[in-house]
Amino acid sequence: MISREDVDHAAMLARLGLTEAEKQLLQTQLSSILEYMQALSQVDTSGIPPTAQVIPLRNVFRADEPATSLSVEDVLSNAPDREDDFFRFPPVFE
Amino acid sequence: MAVTTTYEPVIGLETHVQLMTQSKMFCSCSAAYAGAEPNTHVCPVCLAMPGVLPVMNRLAVEYAFMTGLALNCQIPEASKFDRKNYAYPDLLKGYQISQFDLPFNINGWITVEAEGVTTRVGITRAHLEEDTAKLIHRHDNGDSRSLIDMNRSGVPLLEIVSEPDLRSPAEARAYLQKIRLIVRTLGVSTGNMEEGAMRCDVNVSLRPVGTEKFGTKVEIKNLNSARSVLRALEYEIERQARALDSGELISQETRGWDEDKSVTFSQRSKEEAHDYRFFPEPDLPPVFISAEWVEELRARLPELPDQRRERYVQEFQLSPYDAVQLTSSVEVSHFFEETVRLYPNPKTVANWIEGDLFRILRERDTEIDTLPMGPPQLVELLQLIDRGTISHGTAKEVLEDAAFSGKSPASIVKEKGLTQISDTEELNRAAAAAIAANPQALADYKAGKKQAMGFLTGQVMRATGGKANPALVNEILRAHLDKA
Ligand SMILES: [Zn+2]
């Protein structure tokens, strides 16, 4: 069961401003999704080693060779806001 | 308020080192971001557009393992990358690819020399990740905003985490300098802190001397020089000691360092600590490193600083102190070895480099490799002394000139007329004149007063503008006095 605090915390981490109605809806939906996933815990995994990957690949590398990048116009084409050739954001301070 | 309890600082460092590759960590954009026009080294991969696939830069991976080997780390057979999630504009994609529970290198150590004491400092881990974008803050006409340049985003970055084994600001500085020396010797990074190629965060807590339990630690972020590390720690240790003495609790927090005001300041409390929600990076297959690959990489390691220091003691019969001084930077050791190759008297060369040359570098706040003077000029200077052309004292003056003009010492001596006078006829005249002008000194000498000799030598030296060969002056004066 997802608590109301879990929803608030997840929304804060994702920087999502949710309305009261959205929070209630998400609490219910997230809870049922997690509940559904609980079905996996019924599988017997005792003989299976833990893994972080399901693809049978390892050591996939590329050579250290620089290639052409996008044009600045392409880079900034999805930017919500720009100034000169930069992405522009509301002020943040380190 | 006087500090009453004696505290022991417990210090650990997290050092970020940019690896010197041509391209970025997970895409083929150029990694040469310095001086590039903003947002010109950016592609769909480093922007994390939907559907793109990051692929590891093999050289960056090898550099990370080679650094781990140089830090005496163990290299686990299996490693992987993870996503470290946080919302901050320096990461447009909302996460950084880093390594969480299976880093490339673990459980290493290095030795650090500070204030004449050698300490072994543990290396907890050294893992590979990607650098963040550069933020620029603009404020004008009442309008504040932050601008993002993505060129640096995705440049390979090695994070080296030390154990809390350091016990003084001087040791912490020496540790950082040693890490810098190691990565520069390996050639995996410029180690240039001014340009941000190496950055560091410091953790520090205090505990009463003789106790075991760690105090509450404070993290000082983004120190960009060895000097800042030293000064920020000195300030912070004093601040914490005063707080503890007056019964305050140290709050676990992140602090910044204000270089101009020389103070640390509170940035954010750890209570709102980041919740990074690490999870395995699904786009990158794990890395398995075989024993053969490790050995192949080990074979590529150059002579490391500790080995070089040991060789200087063995091969050149230098003291351990001299060896530490002369291996303190890649450039100094190259300068020393090249000079010794041309002038095979290591002790004399060591004395000149550690004495006058280091003094000149300190006074002008510069580095040996930026001097227009090279080993051949130092060799020429030493040969001028050996031939009796100039005195040791004059040589110091010539070195000062040569170091910054890059001129040959012989031409400086000629230009300034510094050649030592070994012309007996001229010295005979000067000696006779000095004795004639100082009858009292002659009488004193005859009466057995040895100081008279020193006085007369001084007179002759002055008359010749300090250019006379002192040994010869002595010899000639004595001859004159004895027959007078
Ligand atoms: Zn890219």
Side-chain angles (χ1 to χ4, degrees), chain A residues 21-68:
Chain A
E22 284 169 332
K23 283 180 181 174
Q24 276 173 16
L25 179 66
L26 281 166
Q27 187 179 351
T28 324
Q29 289 184 339
L30 288 170
S31 293
S32 61
I33 291 168
L34 276 192
E35 221 166 279
Y36 177 70
M37 297 305 282
Q38 287 299 314
L40 284 174
S41 63
Q42 287 159 20
V43 181
D44 178 12
T45 57
S46 51
I48 299 169
T51 180
Q53 278 284 345
V54 291
I55 308 162
L57 285 175
R58 51 171 68 175
N59 296 3
V60 178
F61 302 114
R62 44 167 253 280
D64 179 36
E65 284 158 8
T68 316

Side-chain angles (χ1 to χ4, degrees), chain B residues 131-282:
Chain B
D131 208 344
T132 57
K134 197 171 102 191
L135 295 185
I136 295 155
H137 307 291
R138 278 192 188 162
H139 185 91
D140 48 45
N141 308 321
D143 177 33
S144 289
R145 66 275 187 199
S146 295
L147 306 178
I148 300 170
D149 174 6
M150 285 290 287
N151 288 347
R152 197 182 68 185
S153 186
V155 168
L157 198 62
L158 187 72
E159 179 173 334
I160 302 168
V161 182
S162 88
E163 289 289 305
D165 287 347
L166 299 154
R167 293 291 174 268
S168 71
E171 259 183 29
R173 176 177 61 178
Y175 166 85
L176 188 62
Q177 286 168 336
K178 189 65 175 278
I179 294 285
R180 182 170 184 271
L181 179 58
I182 290 171
V183 297
R184 286 174 58 79
T185 303
L186 290 170
V188 301
S189 175
T190 64
N192 190 325
M193 297 195 75
E194 288 72 32
E195 288 169 8
M198 204 170 131
R199 294 150 0 221
C200 113
D201 305 332
V202 174
N203 286 294
V204 55
S205 63
L206 298 190
R207 63 183 174 194
V209 166
T211 62
E212 285 293 314
K213 195 171 167 282
F214 289 162
T216 305
K217 74 175 177 189
V218 163
E219 183 177 30
I220 312 169
K221 281 263 188 209
N222 287 324
L223 296 168
N224 55 14
S225 72
R227 198 174 111 90
S228 309
V229 166
L230 181 81
R231 295 180 62 224
L233 276 169
E234 283 172 349
Y235 175 86
E236 183 60 21
I237 288 165
E238 179 71 15
R239 185 190 73 83
Q240 290 186 21
R242 280 169 192 275
L244 290 169
D245 277 340
S246 54
E248 287 170 41
L249 288 176
I250 303 295
S251 57
Q252 184 174 344
E253 62 178 353
T254 300
R255 296 178 75 86
W257 167 244
D258 186 324
E259 187 76 50
D260 297 330
K261 294 190 194 130
S262 299
V263 295
T264 62
F265 57 92
S266 184
Q267 279 184 319
R268 61 165 180 256
S269 152
K270 277 273 176 179
E271 280 142 45
E272 47 175 293
H274 284 129
D275 180 353
Y276 292 125
R277 294 151 294 148
F278 280 100
F279 65 85
E281 167 58 77

Side-chain angles (χ1 to χ4, degrees), chain B residues 340-358:
Chain B
V340 169
R341 193 179 66 77
L342 301 168
Y343 185 89
N345 186 338
K347 187 58 194 163
T348 302
V349 173
N351 287 343
W352 276 91
I353 292 178
E354 288 175 56
D356 289 274
L357 205 52
F358 277 7

Side-chain angles (χ1 to χ4, degrees), chain A residues 58-86:
Chain A
R58 51 171 68 175
N59 296 3
V60 178
F61 302 114
R62 44 167 253 280
D64 179 36
E65 284 158 8
T68 316
S69 301
L70 294 175
S71 71
V72 178
E73 289 313 311
D74 281 343
V75 169
L76 295 170
S77 58
N78 291 322
D81 195 6
R82 68 181 279 184
E83 178 170 328
D84 304 334
D85 286 339
F86 296 99

Side-chain angles (χ1 to χ4, degrees), chain B residues 24 27-29 41-43 45-46:
Chain B
K24 290 187 180 181
C27 64
S28 299
C29 288
H41 298 175
V42 188
C43 74
V45 174
C46 47

